[in-house]
């Protein structure tokens, strides 16, 4: 899970991060074999909290999350999954069932030699994040 202060801690309805985190923890707890949650310091798809707040201001002006990030000089997604792959490898894990709808996460881990099976992890939209989810699907290739 990529850190999302606004969604994970403050309960922002602009994203689906908090519900994804809580659903992942519930899935791990319900799995007889347990699981691993990596909580990565990649706020705002890797642009950091201050820039994420700047992106929010642009979104309030009508830009979607992709255009807001690029207007700030960033790629739509700046995250790197090298550290996640290294952490899993150190734990002796070489194959994962990954709760995600983001093909970049699957590819990012697979590029480091992990066998990755994607498990759908969709959260129901709300009136505040439906446009955000549409952008994730339509512009970033998320499998929602």
């Amino acid at each position: 899970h990529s850190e999302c202060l606004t969604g994970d801690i403050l309960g922002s309805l602009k994203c689906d991060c908090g519900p994804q985190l809580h659903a992942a923890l519930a899935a791990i707890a319900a799995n007889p074999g347990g699981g691993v949650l990596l909580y990565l310091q990649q706020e705002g798809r890797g642009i950091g909290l201050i820039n994420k707040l700047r992106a929010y201001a642009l979104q309030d002006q009508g830009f979607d999350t992709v255009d807001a990030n690029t207007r700030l000089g960033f790629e739509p997604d700046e995250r790197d999954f090298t550290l996640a792959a290294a952490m899993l490898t150190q734990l002796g894990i070489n194959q994962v069932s990954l709760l995600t709808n983001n093909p970049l996460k699957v590819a990012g881990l697979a590029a480091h030699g992990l066998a990755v099976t994607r498990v759908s992890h969709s959260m129901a939209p709300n009136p505040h994040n439906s446009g955000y989810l549409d952008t994730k699907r339509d512009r970033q290739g998320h499998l929602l």
Side-chain angles (χ1 to χ4, degrees):
H1 185 81
S2 294
E3 171 188 30
C4 179
L5 175 72
T6 55
D8 297 342
I9 305 300
L10 302 177
S12 173
L13 298 175
K14 287 186 166 197
C15 64
D16 58 343
C17 301
Q20 282 185 349
L21 174 61
H22 296 292
L25 290 170
I28 290 169
N31 182 6
V36 174
L37 176 79
L38 299 181
Y39 194 84
L40 303 173
Q41 191 174 13
Q42 298 178 327
E43 184 79 45
R45 291 193 190 101
I47 66 173
L49 180 59
I50 298 301
N51 286 315
K52 178 181 173 178
L53 296 175
R54 290 178 180 134
Y56 272 2
L58 290 171
Q59 290 171 35
D60 289 343
Q61 296 173 28
F63 296 96
D64 68 23
T65 185
V66 170
D67 290 336
N69 279 18
T70 57
R71 284 182 65 88
L72 292 172
F74 299 104
E75 294 295 322
D77 193 331
E78 293 271 337
R79 292 176 290 186
D80 178 358
F81 300 102
T82 303
L83 181 58
M87 292 167 76
L88 292 168
T89 300
Q90 285 294 313
L91 291 171
I93 298 169
N94 58 14
Q95 62 183 30
V96 295
S97 295
L98 182 65
L99 294 168
T100 188
N101 290 307
N102 184 348
L104 290 178
K105 286 184 181 181
V106 174
L109 292 176
H112 293 283
L114 292 164
V116 183
T117 301
R118 187 185 72 83
V119 177
S120 181
H121 197 50
S122 293
M123 303 298 109
N126 67 57
H128 306 283
N129 73 4
S130 60
Y132 168 81
L133 295 174
D134 290 346
T135 298
K136 283 174 66 169
R137 181 193 64 229
D138 299 342
R139 299 199 61 200
Q140 296 185 291
H142 287 228
L143 306 168
L144 300 177

